[in-house]
Amino acid sequence: MALSLRSCGAVLSVVCVSLQFAVNGLEAGSSPDCGCSSLNREPSEGKHPSCENPADKYSAVVNEKSSDHDTLSKMVLLQGGWFLMGTDEPGIPQDGEGPQRRVWLDPFHIEEHEVTNKQFQRFTNQTGYVTEAERFGDSFVFEGLLSEDIKSSLSHAVAAAPWWSPVKGADWRHPEGPDSDIADRMDHPVLHVSWADAQAYCQWAQRRLPTEAEWEFACRGGLQDRLYPWGNKLMPRGQHYANLWQGNFPNHNTAEDGYSKASPVMSFPANGFGLYDIVGNVWEWTADWWNVHHTRDHSRNPKGPETGTDKVKKGGSYMCHKSYCYRYRCAARSQNTPDSSASNLGFRCAADPKL
Ligand SMILES: [Ca+2]
Ligand SMILES: [Ca+2]
């Protein structure tokens, strides 16, 4: 099924062909999927003139507009070196989590938490930047978060993933549609940002998106061959270490971890590198194009394929539960088209050390 909300010469599409699960159980070899990777706007025959790559447009003002950095995130310097990327025991093999391979990284900085609404607001105030969701006029929202008014106004249902709805007027300032706002969520991660939006923010901040390898190195927090940033046990000593989903997805979130949707950044313990919410809370865009074919060959500072159709996102979100979206592991990965945006997708920036 495809939904078409045509705007700016592109089509917002919900195509759920990858949803191969049964509601009450997973078949062996099937793909547990929260539908997150289906939230793609299909490219159309041509871009509308007003839909030029926002990152290109705003890179021109990077140096003159980024003087006021008092709201930028603190960054952690990671020394890099050799590490083991991916896993030989993939939770979701078809995502290209394996094989495990040796990767060298040069030192890099990475922000200690996801970019917040307050930070993104400073960026838009200084630059006049308009996000892609605002240009398209809609974005994907998890239906469990919508008001009854918004639900009753929805004209489309997505048979294979009814928990996702394209909502008119949903954007970073209105995370659950026009009748919502972010006034009491300025310390929450910014939502409904496309890859280009994330790229534009990082360029303004004189930073950049992390590569997938950098993100995964950061996630692992100095540990080797572990599932999570803190080890192999999801809840050491019964404590929640990330904002995930508890209960039966998608109908009942017990919010045992304290949050049924995105949480203020830094609400959960940092990993060994001092990085917060590196898994859970919101998915995070990376710089790399998506590719599921990897080899055991060693590589240095890999940047992914030269081209592609989807960008890699990492870390899972507050919607992830083991039964549907076991992607809150460091080796896990998913993808969206770069112009996609959703209520569980954000980012953090990285940077090269100053010479
Ligand atoms: Ca939660
Ligand atoms: Ca995250």
Side-chain angles (χ1 to χ4, degrees), residues 242-246 253 255-261 268 318:
N243 184 4
L244 304 173
W245 181 291
Q246 294 87 39
N253 187 348
E256 184 187 284
D257 59 16
Y259 303 94
S260 60
K261 50 186 179 181
F268 292 82
Y318 64 85

Side-chain angles (χ1 to χ4, degrees), residues 13-19 33 35-40 140 335-336:
S13 174
V14 184
V15 182
C16 295
V17 294
S18 65
L19 302 181
D33 198 321
C36 299
S37 62
S38 302
L39 307 180
N40 297 325
F140 286 98
Q335 88 277 20
N336 282 117

Side-chain angles (χ1 to χ4, degrees), residues 120 124 129-136 171-172 192-193 197:
F120 201 79
T124 61
Y129 186 86
V130 178
T131 62
E132 291 201 285
E134 292 170 288
R135 291 167 184 250
F136 283 111
D171 56 47
W172 72 276
H192 299 291
V193 283
D197 299 335

Side-chain angles (χ1 to χ4, degrees), residues 54-74:
D56 291 344
K57 180 177 178 182
Y58 286 90
S59 62
V61 297
V62 164
N63 292 320
E64 60 189 87
K65 293 288 186 184
S66 56
S67 58
D68 185 357
H69 278 184
D70 62 341
T71 62
L72 290 183
S73 297
K74 175 185 160 193

